[in-house]
Every structure is written in structure tokens, then in C-alpha cells.
Amino acid sequence: MLAHPTLDKLNAMGLTGMAKAFSELVANGESEHLSHAEWLGLLLEREWSSRYDRKLAARLRFAKLRHQATPEDVDYRSERGLDRALFMKLLSGDWINAHDNLAICGPSGVGKSWLACALGHKACRDDRSVLYQRVPRLFAQLALARGDGRYARLQRTLGHVQLLILDDWGLEPLNEQARHDLLEILEDRYGRRSTIITSQLPVSAWHGVIGDPTYADAILDRLVHNAHRIELSGDSLRRNLPRKALRISGDREHGFHCIVSTDFRGS
């Protein structure tokens, strides 16, 4: 068999996964017993897997999720009020297909951001576009973008991504420009895309954070009425971090150090 010309052609066509599988099959003496259909099936399976992995990696890079959270690592044993059946249903993604929203509320440290990122990771696996944004930082980015000409492009990205995660909502009241920006984002997304919002405040307090009653009614109408809700409670999971999950980091020359978590599932 002319292996080298075949490999050259596969690589030239961009079929790198198939080329790698072809090399492995040629090197495996037992592959001689495979039928043509079995050979082709193995090559196609490897190419499909290779393309899926590359696409997933690209989606995760774009999403910029705060935590490397996956559905398999979700902790249902902690006493924080997480409904396993509800969360498993959310992981299926039907709510994203329906363009519904999700509100995850609870005190600091119970894992709101981590759960949102786990849902974001699953959406990336399901070939959906995802983008994570911390709300305070987002409004600062929009203000800068307005000055350097990137505002329209950033707004399009925020409006078109299939799942937008807005983390740490409600840490401070919105000013006039932030209210306007948020309404524009939600108007573009309403009925077309899904949004996750995490907040330490209950939904009933969101109206006051927005400030202006007219804007508050318009924003919450587009955000809350079709939103699923996860309401968490309990103590911060940070208090239960195992010692092995902590490491010492610092600058010996300047005489300071700090404790840094290497594995954290609460926010």
C-alpha cells in the first residue's frame, strides 16, 4: 500500500484526524483483517472526533469561562438547596432552544458562578456559542468601546451569542449609561437568545438596583418573566476547601505571601 502519498493527500486536504488514524492503522498488523467498510468507518470517526475537539476548544476560548467547570463535577451533596433534577434538566439545553433565561441567586460563595460556567461548558459541547462576562467589568468595557469605535461591534457580539452569562449582577446600582446599555443588550436577545444571570440579590431586589422605574420595568420584562430560577442558600463553600487545594504564593524578596486556591467550585 502506498502509505506516504495517501498521508500527504489527507494532510493536504486538511483531514489531519483521518491522516493520524491512517498512520496508526497501517502500523497495526491486525488492521489487515479489517474490511474496507471498517477501515473507512474508523477513519471517518477519528476525523469527526478531531474536528469536534478543535471546534470545542475554539468555543471554550471564545467563551472565556471564569471557572473550568464541567457538568460531571457538579457537587449535589453540599447543603445549598441545589435541585439536582432541575439542574440536570437545564443541562439538557432545551431551555436554550426555547430562548429562555436563567437566574441563579444566592449568597456569596455557594457556587453561582461555578454552576453558570458548568452550564456554559455544556452549551459549548452542544455546539453553541457562549460568552461569559462579569457585569461590573462589562459596563466598563462598553464605556471604553464607545470611545474607540468598538461599541457597535461589541453590542453585536453580546446580542448574537447563543448563551450570554452575566455574572455578579447587582453589586452596585446602575447609572444612566449602564441602564441604557443593558436594555439594548436584552432587547437584542429577547426571544432569540438565552441569558444566565448570577446575583447575590433575590430577583425581588433587582428593580431597585436598576434605579429608574421605567428602565427597570423594561429590563426585567425582557429578563425575568421567561426565566428559570435556581435559588441557593447556605454557608460559603470557600470555608470547606480542603487544605490540599491550597498553595502558598508570594514574593520572598519583598516579604509577603498569600494563599491561592487551585480548585474552587463556589462563587
Side-chain angles (χ1 to χ4, degrees), residues 3 11 43 52-53 60 75 79 86 107 118 124 126 130 133 140-141 144 156 199 204 215 225 231 265:
N11 284 312
L43 294 176
Y52 173 82
D53 290 344
L60 288 172
D75 182 5
E79 297 182 0
L86 171 60
C124 287
D126 293 339
V130 179
Q133 294 282 327
Q141 291 176 9
L144 290 173
R156 282 195 300 271
S199 178
S204 59
Y215 268 99
H225 92 273
E231 297 180 357
R265 301 178 186 179

Side-chain angles (χ1 to χ4, degrees), residues 53-124:
D53 290 344
R54 291 198 300 270
K55 185 181 292 186
L56 175 58
R59 288 198 180 280
L60 288 172
R61 284 195 301 270
F62 177 81
K64 299 178 182 176
L65 299 174
R66 179 178 180 180
H67 301 288
Q68 294 180 350
T70 63
E72 293 78 13
D73 292 332
V74 173
D75 182 5
Y76 298 102
R77 295 170 298 177
S78 299
E79 297 182 0
R80 52 176 171 173
L82 178 60
D83 186 327
R84 179 169 188 157
L86 171 60
F87 198 77
M88 294 295 291
K89 184 176 181 181
L90 292 170
L91 285 171
S92 72
D94 291 341
W95 64 284
I96 301 178
N97 293 334
H99 310 310
D100 292 339
N101 299 322
L102 172 64
I104 305 178
C105 301
S108 176
V110 294
K112 301 182 298 297
S113 300
W114 204 94
L115 293 174
C117 288
L119 289 167
H121 192 283
K122 180 57 166 58
C124 287

